[in-house]
Amino acid sequence: MAPKETKQKPTKKSHSNNKPKISKPQKPQQRKPPSTTSSSQPPPLQTADANGLPLNWPPSLPYLIHPLFSPLLTPLHYSALHTRPAPDSVEPLDELPADYVPGPCQKAVILPITDKRHPAFGQAGLFAARDLRPGEFVVRYLGEVHPGGVEWGGGLVFPEPEKGDGEEDGEEDGEEDGEEVGEEVGEEDGKEGADEQDGIDGEGEVVKQDDGKEVKQDDGQGQGGPQQQDAPRAEEMMPYNYKKSDYDLWLDHPSDLAIDACRCGNEARFVNDYRGIPNPVYPPGYVPQSKKEELFLKRPNAEFKVVWDPVRKEKTMAVYVLPAGKKAVGRAREVGIERGREVVVSYGKGFWEKRREEERLKGEVVEDGDEGYA
Ligand SMILES: C[S@@+](CC[C@H](N)C(=O)[O-])C[C@H]1O[C@@H](n2cnc3c(N)ncnc32)[C@H](O)[C@@H]1O
């Protein structure tokens, strides 16, 4: 039975009931080709490295071009995942753009945060590689699709490399990173024994690894998933706690479907929350002259949206530029996020409330440069 769709605001799911905030579904968009860059505009920023992976992609983290599926998902979860609300339903889903091609994103680039005023200084963020139109699709949010209610997810299992890619890949994977290759933890939440097939099932897709090579996964949802590789190290056997992830979003809350991009994912996992981020148009120390201006300095320019993947016929999550405001005039009607500007969303108040609570419990003070992430 198809779950009833609800208005979902994709928010950060982690830590609590304050699950991802998902933008209000909108009527299906007219597909338009991406706007061409006029000759007067500077060239797009470089988004990929020499291996074809996103620039600044963490070497130890598996890069996904399709979602992975947890073996903990049930037929009911899959039914919900593959059920599209009717176009005339209260909340139909937009579709991914017709020209969407799986793989590295050319619209945005992962960059280290070097501005000390930025609350995520020392981490990374996602930045527009070219001017992005209001409402434009930016990038999918890829990760492990898992039951949102579960706490423990077990180890991560990636498929054996294809013959020919040889040991090299397998060995590198095994050696380099505790997170990317593992085995289902012996005890999943202390309840279940491990199975070699358990972990994260791919769905007949390709995972790009940190060496830029691709490995294929079996086809079939939740069946015949990735194979175990080398024997995992101790840390790879550690149970994984979804609840502690900072990269976990609700995909479909009523149907208990979530996406976690902590252990693997794509560029979208680097999208920061807008709170406390200084507007680079203004110099350091600039004090907003009015409440209106202050608000301008503190608003998101993008959103997480649940959309329909017409090729895979399933719900998915993506980052979109926010539509132009009703009062937008001139350039603001054409450019939602300027080239070089950080793509920022709202994680939702709940995310920061929970964060504050956790910090308080730890006896730490949250310094956010903002009057409150709530
Ligand atoms: C989904 S990750 C975003 C990417 C992250 N900056 C990184 O480099 O991996 C969420 C984490 O980024 C940090 N973050 C994002 N937005 C922030 C903000 N406005 N203020 C402080 N920290 C932020 C927090 O540590 C949060 O747990």
Side-chain angles (χ1 to χ4, degrees), residues 122-183:
Q123 302 182 12
L126 195 68
F127 293 76
R130 62 162 169 79
D131 285 354
L132 300 172
R133 284 176 286 114
E136 183 173 350
F137 163 84
V138 183
V139 63
R140 281 179 79 166
Y141 191 95
L142 296 173
E144 305 170 30
V145 179
H146 68 96
V150 304
E151 186 161 1
W152 299 99
L156 193 61
V157 176
F158 274 84
E160 274 179 17
E162 271 187 301
K163 276 188 183 159
D165 272 355
E167 307 169 349
E168 215 187 330
D169 287 350
E171 280 174 12
E172 280 176 17
D173 289 341
E175 287 163 12
E176 283 301 312
D177 179 43
E179 285 179 275
E180 68 179 300
V181 181
E183 182 180 358

Side-chain angles (χ1 to χ4, degrees), residues 4-319:
K4 190 167 173 272
E5 284 292 318
T6 59
K7 284 185 185 173
Q8 297 174 319
K9 277 260 178 190
T11 47
K12 299 299 294 178
K13 165 187 172 287
S14 57
H15 308 303
S16 70
N17 292 335
N18 43 68
K19 307 289 186 179
K21 201 171 98 180
I22 287 162
S23 65
K24 196 172 160 187
Q26 293 162 5
K27 292 197 174 156
Q29 283 180 336
Q30 294 267 327
R31 304 247 177 93
K32 287 182 191 162
S35 63
T36 47
T37 309
S38 88
S39 54
S40 61
Q41 285 184 337
L45 300 175
Q46 180 191 346
T47 55
D49 65 17
N51 292 319
L53 280 173
L55 200 65
N56 298 314
W57 183 257
S60 62
L61 203 69
Y63 177 70
L64 301 182
I65 60 174
H66 293 297
L68 288 181
F69 296 91
S70 163
L72 302 173
L73 292 173
T74 65
L76 222 57
H77 287 115
Y78 279 113
S79 163
L81 186 70
H82 295 292
T83 300
R84 182 178 189 180
D88 60 350
S89 67
V90 185
E91 293 167 355
L93 293 184
D94 286 351
E95 281 190 359
L96 284 175
D99 57 1
Y100 167 72
V101 180
C105 169
Q106 295 177 354
K107 298 183 181 184
V109 55
I110 302 162
L111 292 176
I113 307 286
T114 54
D115 185 341
K116 288 191 176 158
R117 298 171 300 152
H118 195 300
F121 170 68
Q123 302 182 12
L126 195 68
F127 293 76
R130 62 162 169 79
D131 285 354
L132 300 172
R133 284 176 286 114
E136 183 173 350
F137 163 84
V138 183
V139 63
R140 281 179 79 166
Y141 191 95
L142 296 173
E144 305 170 30
V145 179
H146 68 96
V150 304
E151 186 161 1
W152 299 99
L156 193 61
V157 176
F158 274 84
E160 274 179 17
E162 271 187 301
K163 276 188 183 159
D165 272 355
E167 307 169 349
E168 215 187 330
D169 287 350
E171 280 174 12
E172 280 176 17
D173 289 341
E175 287 163 12
E176 283 301 312
D177 179 43
E179 285 179 275
E180 68 179 300
V181 181
E183 182 180 358
E184 174 68 29
V185 178
E187 306 281 296
E188 191 261 323
D189 201 11
K191 291 185 217 123
E192 277 181 13
D195 183 300
E196 288 184 0
Q197 293 290 323
D198 282 351
I200 303 302
D201 285 347
E203 199 188 23
E205 304 305 354
V206 175
V207 178
K208 217 164 200 178
Q209 303 188 133
D210 59 343
D211 58 2
K213 290 182 179 154
E214 293 180 343
V215 286
K216 267 197 186 152
Q217 295 178 167
D218 285 14
D219 215 340
Q221 296 140 15
Q223 302 181 23
Q227 306 292 310
Q228 180 188 358
Q229 295 189 333
D230 297 338
R233 299 182 307 199
E235 61 267 33
E236 295 165 351
M237 299 287 284
M238 291 297 287
Y240 173 73
N241 189 342
Y242 286 116
K243 301 272 185 222
K244 296 219 161 146
S245 170
D246 278 341
Y247 301 83
D248 205 15
L249 302 182
W250 280 116
L251 174 63
D252 184 341
H253 195 174
S255 304
D256 190 38
L257 283 166
I259 305 178
D260 184 20
C262 183
R263 301 190 290 178
C264 56
N266 69 341
E267 296 90 335
R269 76 189 293 285
F270 289 100
V271 174
N272 286 317
D273 182 281
Y274 73 97
R275 291 168 175 84
I277 297 181
N279 187 330
V281 166
Y282 298 100
Y286 176 83
V287 180
Q289 301 299 297
S290 66
K291 192 72 191 163
K292 194 175 169 195
E293 193 180 57
E294 191 177 8
L295 285 174
F296 173 74
L297 292 170
K298 296 180 179 175
R299 63 173 190 168
N301 54 25
E303 61 183 343
F304 291 130
K305 235 167 86 167
V306 174
V307 290
W308 184 251
D309 180 341
V311 175
R312 298 169 60 88
K313 301 199 179 350
E314 65 192 22
K315 290 170 189 160
T316 189
M317 177 83 76
V319 179

